[in-house]
Amino acid sequence: MDFLHKNFVYKTLQFKEFVKRASEDKHTDFFLCEDESYYLRSLGEDVRKEPADLSKQFPDLAEDFHIPHFFEADQFFSSVFRISSCGLQLWTHYDVMDNLLAQVTGMKRVVLYSPQDALHLYLSGDKSEVLDIDVPDLKRFPEFVKAKRYECVLEPGDVLFIPALWFHNTTALLFGVGVNVFWRHLPADSYDKKDPYGNKDPAAATRALQVLERALHILDELPADYRDFYGRRMIQRIQKRTFYADTSVTKTQEDSGSTSPTRQFTKPG
Ligand SMILES: O=C(O)CCC(=O)C(=O)O
Ligand SMILES: [Fe+2]
């Protein structure tokens, strides 16, 4: 699927007809063309307000679906039923909650990139503009080669932990059914209140980005050479204050020689 050129449409179908079409390669009945692909991502009862919940929208199926005890019941956010045609690829994106992606039938390739590689992914909001991650256009996306790719193939019964902010790109290798479960690992009031999908930035991040826009607007009061000078200094200040590698390596990480991030709130420095 291509979010830049919107090569997909939203349609309503009887569930039985949807499953038939999603599981066949060529269709006798179709919307656009005989080899079109199908994708279902379940939603809540009120699609704009409520997150998806397998036990509410598909109670019979939910009886068969159990995941290990990874989080407390009050951290649960949503359980999303997903069905895809063979070959369907979903663009690289991040979500803001921790996630277990379970494969029920079929097989799915999942490619992951660390949040620390965000600047190499040419983001448009929560999505990467590099749609073809296997044969990327390196003239348009030269930095993409710097993003480290992690890859796995999910088979029936497999469950993949996708931590919040980790980028993921999925390709169904066969017609397949899956469920993913999002849960909150930050205090509940950190999240955007109106976010049925679990992909809106935490409220504090949104506020910080708004303040940054204001700061940039203020810099516009100065000539270009001054903007350049203060812009560079602002970048350095942000890096020093926020990047793991620069300031927030914990004692234990230093001791073990690891620079991998942990989820810790660092004191303002
Ligand atoms: O499995 C898919 O098709 C997409 C999964 C996904 O984006 C997620 O679990 O957050
Ligand atoms: Fe996702």
Side-chain angles (χ1 to χ4, degrees), residues 5 55 232:
H5 303 99
S55 70
R232 287 171 196 274

Side-chain angles (χ1 to χ4, degrees), residues 110-129:
V110 187
V111 175
L112 298 144
Y113 303 94
S114 157
Q116 293 189 320
D117 278 336
L119 301 187
H120 306 137
L121 296 178
Y122 300 86
L123 293 187
S124 168
D126 60 337
K127 307 175 190 64
S128 166
E129 292 192 5

Side-chain angles (χ1 to χ4, degrees), residues 39 82 90 93 95 99 101 108 168 170 180 182:
Y39 188 67
R82 298 182 187 262
L90 189 60
H93 66 280
D95 301 294
N99 183 7
L101 175 59
K108 188 175 281 171
H168 44 287
T170 59
N180 83 280
F182 287 120

Side-chain angles (χ1 to χ4, degrees), residues 68-256:
H69 183 83
F70 264 61
F71 54 88
E72 299 305 323
D74 63 353
Q75 292 177 285
F76 171 82
F77 177 75
S78 65
S79 48
V80 186
F81 193 38
R82 298 182 187 262
I83 301 180
S84 34
S85 292
C86 177
L88 188 126
Q89 183 169 28
L90 189 60
W91 51 70
T92 308
H93 66 280
Y94 70 89
D95 301 294
V96 300
M97 297 192 194
D98 277 354
N99 183 7
L100 286 178
L101 175 59
Q103 192 73 18
V104 177
T105 70
M107 293 204 325
K108 188 175 281 171
R109 181 190 79 166
V110 187
V111 175
L112 298 144
Y113 303 94
S114 157
Q116 293 189 320
D117 278 336
L119 301 187
H120 306 137
L121 296 178
Y122 300 86
L123 293 187
S124 168
D126 60 337
K127 307 175 190 64
S128 166
E129 292 192 5
V130 186
L131 293 171
D132 189 342
I133 57 169
D134 299 299
V135 190
D137 180 348
L138 293 179
K139 287 215 177 70
R140 271 178 75 199
F141 308 116
E143 293 285 314
F144 184 68
V145 291
K146 296 185 188 164
K148 181 172 171 184
R149 171 185 178 122
Y150 298 82
E151 180 170 336
C152 66
V153 173
L154 300 183
E155 297 185 0
D158 285 345
V159 177
L160 175 67
F161 173 49
I162 306 179
L165 309 184
W166 272 74
F167 294 90
H168 44 287
N169 181 298
T170 59
T171 308
L173 305 178
L174 296 170
F175 161 70
V177 175
V179 177
N180 83 280
V181 178
F182 287 120
W183 74 95
R184 309 180 183 93
H185 67 270
L186 301 178
D189 62 358
S190 307
Y191 295 98
D192 193 310
K193 300 268 173 308
K194 293 193 204 99
D195 179 17
Y197 289 92
N199 63 2
K200 287 213 180 137
D201 292 316
T206 304
R207 266 183 7 246
L209 289 169
Q210 284 166 350
V211 171
L212 175 64
E213 283 308 313
R214 281 222 299 280
L216 292 172
H217 215 70
I218 294 170
L219 272 194
D220 284 342
E221 291 171 19
L222 294 166
D225 49 345
Y226 284 73
R227 283 205 305 273
D228 180 291
F229 178 71
Y230 289 103
R232 287 171 196 274
R233 291 182 59 187
M234 283 162 69
I235 289 173
Q236 190 186 41
R237 179 86 185 98
I238 292 170
Q239 277 193 359
K240 268 203 180 150
R241 179 69 178 268
T242 67
F243 282 21
Y244 274 121
D246 296 335
T247 55
S248 48
V249 176
T250 61
K251 201 73 204 149
T252 40
Q253 283 176 308
E254 274 169 9
D255 292 344
S256 67

